[in-house]
């Protein structure tokens, strides 16, 4: 979910009256229109999912042509010329989106890793000086761990990818890139999509790789795929109904998508879901696959055939598989294939997420939504 907290509906009368006297801390500093304030969690989820294609196109255009953003990208490129690894640091959905950038750098011979901000704050800072550049990602810009990292950064090369231009982190950062997703009131959807795109573009700029054509293709496929995939959400829900566990498996940048997918399902529905790399699932969790399991496998990218092989193994063990791939495949009682057009690496970290999002929407439409909309920031603490 996005990195926000909100006062519980069950707050005591005394605290409620105090909160009433204070100015609302609207997400992104913007008061929502009345129709959104009146919307429920299911309506917010679908609304924000369907906003993704437009918000993604807006970000791509801004990163292509906005002079201030272009100047910031150039500053990041200069910072990254120093020897040493490039760290992407975030939590929750922001951590998930960072894999798009770190994996792209890795595949082009630049050492880069994605790090959990809370772990890095308490255990990793002793080797922080070894990095060339650290890019902190935060939707809210108010998360306590990210604020603390900025305050402890000293003279280190620190950049920011953030969705809130009136936040504490934004004000502390000298080098910063906007997520441009607009206020988000439910589970992270459009902020993940845009943050992942920003990380890809930043990594491409650091590597001096052209990215505009790839970005446009990914945006086109993402937009064209959303409606057809969401139209199958009831089928996806019915296929998964009754599963004791849902495992989501991805490799490369799509591993970030797998983590994000598990977060989305758990937060919105309360159903237990877990993310794995393909190799991590192969060497352990697949040993307990049986009729109670559903796996969502992203069989895309350079190791797509390994995903196909894993799906076949899960089926042999009695488990069901939703197989997301770039090819047409025959459906069975145990296999639900979803074809999506291929996109250049690592943009599959964005397009692959549509299937779990559609499944989540189908689940909350049938069983109810566990996560109410959140319109204000609450106390940010570790």
């Amino acid at each position: 979910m996005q990195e926000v907290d909100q006062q519980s509906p069950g707050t005591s009368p005394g605290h409620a009256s105090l909160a009433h006297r204070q100015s609302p801390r609207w997400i992104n500093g913007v008061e929502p229109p009345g129709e959104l304030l009146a919307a429920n969690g299911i309506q917010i989820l679908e609304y924000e999912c369907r906003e993704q294609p437009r918000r993604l196109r807006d970000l791509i255009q801004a990163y292509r042509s906005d002079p201030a953003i272009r100047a910031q990208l150039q500053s990041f490129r200069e910072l990254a010329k120093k020897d040493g690894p490039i760290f992407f640091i975030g939590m929750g959905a922001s951590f998930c989106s960072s894999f798009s950038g770190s994996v792209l750098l890795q595949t082009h011979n630049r050492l880069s890793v994605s790090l959990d901000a809370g772990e890095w704050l308490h255990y990793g800072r002793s080797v922080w000086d070894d990095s060339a550049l650290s890019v902190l990602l935060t939707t809210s810009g108010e998360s306590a761990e990210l604020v603390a990292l900025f305050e402890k950064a000293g003279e280190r090369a620190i950049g920011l990818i953030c969705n809130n231009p009136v936040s504490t982190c934004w004000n502390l950062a000298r080098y910063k890139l906007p997520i441009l997703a607009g206020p988000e009131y439910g589970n992270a959807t459009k902020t993940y999509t845009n943050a992942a795109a920003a990380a890809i573009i930043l990594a491409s700029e650091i590597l001096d790789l052209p990215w505009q054509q790839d970005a446009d293709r990914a945006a086109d496929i993402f937009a064209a795929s959303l409606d057809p995939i969401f139209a199958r959400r009831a089928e996806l829900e019915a296929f998964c109904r009754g599963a004791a566990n849902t495992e989501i498996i991805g490799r490369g940048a799509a591993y970030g998508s797998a983590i994000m997918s598990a977060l989305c399902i758990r937060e919105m529905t309360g159903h237990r879901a877990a993310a794995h790399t393909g190799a991590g699932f192969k060497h352990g969790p697949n040993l307990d696959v049986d009729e109670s399991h559903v796996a969502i496998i992203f069989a895309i990218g350079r190791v797509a055939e390994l995903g196909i092989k894993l799906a076949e193994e899960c089926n042999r063990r009695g488990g069901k598989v939703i197989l997301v791939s770039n090819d047409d495949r025959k459906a069975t009682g145990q296999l639900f294939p979803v074809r999506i057009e291929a996109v250049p690496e690592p943009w599959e970290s964005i397009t692959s997420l549509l299937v779990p999002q559609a499944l989540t929407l189908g689940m909350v439409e049938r069983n109810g939504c566990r996560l109410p909309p959140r319109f204000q920031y609450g106390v940010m603490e570790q």
Side-chain angles (χ1 to χ4, degrees), residues 88 95-105 114 192 195-197 199-200 203 253 256 346-347 349-350:
F88 287 83
F95 172 68
C96 300
S97 64
S98 74
F99 282 85
S100 300
S102 62
V103 169
L104 180 59
L105 289 166
S114 292
Y192 167 85
I200 293 170
W347 291 93
S349 61
I350 293 173

Side-chain angles (χ1 to χ4, degrees), residues 277-290:
T277 65
F281 186 82
K282 172 75 174 176
H283 296 282
N286 77 320
L287 297 177
D288 71 355
V289 170
D290 57 22

Side-chain angles (χ1 to χ4, degrees), residues 67-83:
I69 294 174
R70 296 299 308 163
Q72 286 289 321
L73 288 168
Q74 179 59 36
S75 296
F76 276 88
R77 289 179 66 173
E78 292 300 318
L79 293 171
K81 288 180 178 179
K82 178 185 172 183
D83 290 336

